[in-house]
């Protein structure tokens, strides 16, 4: 079992930052934008000034677009990055830096073939450019083409010998190839470049663990954790080493610690599932594997992708296969209304809307309806865990959520009432990733439905600090692609916000949903089409619900079957 800190596809537009000079004048913008050794922020400002004033053309405009594209990638706005960098390629087709950047953006949208094409073209234009070799090697490693990855990382080192990621990435490949001495030699070279780089000890921890040198392994991981107590990557690595040693209790303790820091952590759920499986607690193992198995995005970092694959394989192995078994007809629902937010303005409607939906579901015959309001982060995850156990025994599993929800960095989150979200990246640890809600319904045999009346304005946006690594979307959720057999319904389509009811009235979406659920003989897919039309009409074309995915296609499903 080898799950380590993510390999990094590298973005290099600006080189080593230098001390900022005096405040630049407007006439200096072109010189600063061209200067790859300039201060990164000064260069960004200069390039944006040129682009916004339309004061640059040709290859100089391509350079400015490359800087803009680089920043978009850092914000995880990869689709706009591709659009921006493609304009740069049109202006300067021989610019290897722009081609490399666009390759990274393609990779991060799950388009590895297009990424490889761009990396190859960048290297054709400039064969001694070390960075695209590294980035191509990352994709080769994701494809498990270890020798090709090793060759690419070696070329990256050859042409850019001071590039630390080339050394650490090659060390990781050598670890996978069981060339442990070679891996340790590469880590030693990396230390000569930057002895403080945390990825050296964190990755070497795994290498030592696989060598059976557990004292050295724990020393490396512990050193990182002592300096960075909330570094979940290092905590997961230490847990992995404990698993290698056979110390399941120590591994469990670390996976639990990682999940206490970040309950959405895929690696920790996958690893903990393996611990529970070895302990013969198969129900808990399945629950953790489900929490790691379901993805709504096309791209995962390498360590997350591996953890997800393990979870998917083990979940399939542990899920009882009962073809031809009679359906139980059991239908269960979890209904959540979060309104009493502690750090932003309260929402009066969600608790009321959720109680109305819970009542309707009971009326139409759902055997179990868990109705809860104003959940903190920990209580939210507890409710999902409890509900997942009910879903395992059901044909239908439905989650309805009303409250704050939005997209940050391409990930959709539901917001507990105790979230502070002072910084956009806090969503990873303080909010509930939509994937975890998908996982909660995942065990149901037939209908797996998530309904989100949560596409409201982001109230944290005015005060939330924006980081370079995350993109903040102030309105609604992003597009998703749920797996086969799942249906996710948004109260408002991507980029729009849902409307609350006026003067104490229920929201237009919950009103339409509650009404249509009770109508007999309306198939579930058609039902949500009707809800969409009703809301569109009631809001005078201001709000349009949207559905993603579908229940299994060989059967019709009805909230009320009729006679």
């Amino acid at each position: 079992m080898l799950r380590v800190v993510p390999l990094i596809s590298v973005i290099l537009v600006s080189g080593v930052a230098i001390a900022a000079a005096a405040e630049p004048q407007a006439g200096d913008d072109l010189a600063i934008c061209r200067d790859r050794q300039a201060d990164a922020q000064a260069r960004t400002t200069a390039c944006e000034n040129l682009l916004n004033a339309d004061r640059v053309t040709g290859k100089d405009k391509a350079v400015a677009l490359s800087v803009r594209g680089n920043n978009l990638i850092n914000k995880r706005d990869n689709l706009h990055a591709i659009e921006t960098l493609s304009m740069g390629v049109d202006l300067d087709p021989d610019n290897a830096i722009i081609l490399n950047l666009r390759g990274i953006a393609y990779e991060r949208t799950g388009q590895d073939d297009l990424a490889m094409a761009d990396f190859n073209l960048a290297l054709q234009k400039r064969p001694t450019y070390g960075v695209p070799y590294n980035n191509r090697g990352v994709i080769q490693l994701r494809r498990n083409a270890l020798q090709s990855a090793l060759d690419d990382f070696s070329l990256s080192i050859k042409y850019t010998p001071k590039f630390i990621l080339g050394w650490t990435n090659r060390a990781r490949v050598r670890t996978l190839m069981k060339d442990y001495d070679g891996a340790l030699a590469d880590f030693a070279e990396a230390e000569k470049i930057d002895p403080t780089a945390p990825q050296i000890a964190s990755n070497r921890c795994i290498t030592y663990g696989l060598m059976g040198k557990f004292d050295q392994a724990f020393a490396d991981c512990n050193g990182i954790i002592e300096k960075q107590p909330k570094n979940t990557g290092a905590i997961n690595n230490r847990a992995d080493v404990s698993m290698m040693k056979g110390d399941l209790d120590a591994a469990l303790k670390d996976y639990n610690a990682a999940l206490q820091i970040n309950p959405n952590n895929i690696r920790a759920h996958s690893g903990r599932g393996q611990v529970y499986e070895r302990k013969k607690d198969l129900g808990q193992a399945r629950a953790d594997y489900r929490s790691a198995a379901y993805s709504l995005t096309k791209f995962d970092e390498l360590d997350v992708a591996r953890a997800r694959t393990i979870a998917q394989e083990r979940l399939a192995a542990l899920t009882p296969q009962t073809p031809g078994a009679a359906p139980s007809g059991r239908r269960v629902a979890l209904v959540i209304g979060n309104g009493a937010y502690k750090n932003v303005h309260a929402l009066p409607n969600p608790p009321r809307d959720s109680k109305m939906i819970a009542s309707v579901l009971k009326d139409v015959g759902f055997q179990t309806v868990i109705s809860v309001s104003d959940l903190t982060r920990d209580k939210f995850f507890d409710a999902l865990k409890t509900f997942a156990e009910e879903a395992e025994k059901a044909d239908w599993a439905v989650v309805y959520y009303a409250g704050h929800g939005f997209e940050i960095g391409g990930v959709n989150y539901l917001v507990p009432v105790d979230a502070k979200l002072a910084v956009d990246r806090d969503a990873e640890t303080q909010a509930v990733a939509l994937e975890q809600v998908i996982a909660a319904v995942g065990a149901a045999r037939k209908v797996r439905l998530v309904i989100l009346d949560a596409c409201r304005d982001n109230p944290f946006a005015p005060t939330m600090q924006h980081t370079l690594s995350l993109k903040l979307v102030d309105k609604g959720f992003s597009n998703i692609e749920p797996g086969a057999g799942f249906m996710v319904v948004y109260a408002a389509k991507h980029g729009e916000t849902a409307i609350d009811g006026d003067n104490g009235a229920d929201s237009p979406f919950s009103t339409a949903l509650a009404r249509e659920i009770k109508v007999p003989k309306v198939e579930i897919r058609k039902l949500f089409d009707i809800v969409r039309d009703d809301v569109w009409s009631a809001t005078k074309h201001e709000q349009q619900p949207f559905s993603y995915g579908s229940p299994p296609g060989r059967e019709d499903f009805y909230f009320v079957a009729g006679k």
Side-chain angles (χ1 to χ4, degrees), residues 520-521 560-563:
K521 300 180 69 174
V560 180
K563 297 181 180 180

Side-chain angles (χ1 to χ4, degrees), residues 27 74 76 143 204 207-208 243 255 281 339 349 356 374 459 466 479 502 513 541:
N74 285 336
R76 298 188 188 176
R143 293 174 172 176
R204 191 172 57 197
T207 304
Y208 277 134
M243 287 278 282
Y255 290 133
D281 187 348
N349 274 44
M356 176 177 64
D374 299 329
H466 296 210
N479 293 316
D502 294 328
L513 178 63
H541 299 184

Side-chain angles (χ1 to χ4, degrees), residues 530-547:
I530 294 171
V531 169
R532 177 200 62 210
D533 293 346
D534 288 353
V535 173
W536 183 243
S537 176
T539 61
K540 298 180 180 179
H541 299 184
E542 291 186 20
Q543 178 181 338
Q544 184 178 13
F546 202 87
S547 299

Side-chain angles (χ1 to χ4, degrees), residues 1 3 243 259 265-279 281-295 306-319 392 435-436 438-440 442:
M1 178 178 62
R3 299 199 299 277
M243 287 278 282
L259 288 169
N265 192 281
I266 300 302
R267 283 188 63 195
H269 278 296
S270 181
R272 192 171 70 174
Q274 294 168 68
V275 172
Y276 281 125
E277 185 175 358
R278 291 192 190 184
K279 287 176 170 282
D281 187 348
L282 301 187
Q284 182 59 56
R286 285 194 299 270
D288 270 320
Y289 288 146
R290 273 193 296 272
S291 292
Y294 298 112
S295 175
R306 283 187 176 153
R308 212 184 285 281
T309 297
I310 291 170
Q312 290 165 348
E313 291 173 351
R314 297 313 306 153
L315 180 60
L318 296 180
T319 300
E392 268 203 319
E435 289 177 351
Q436 298 302 313
I438 297 291

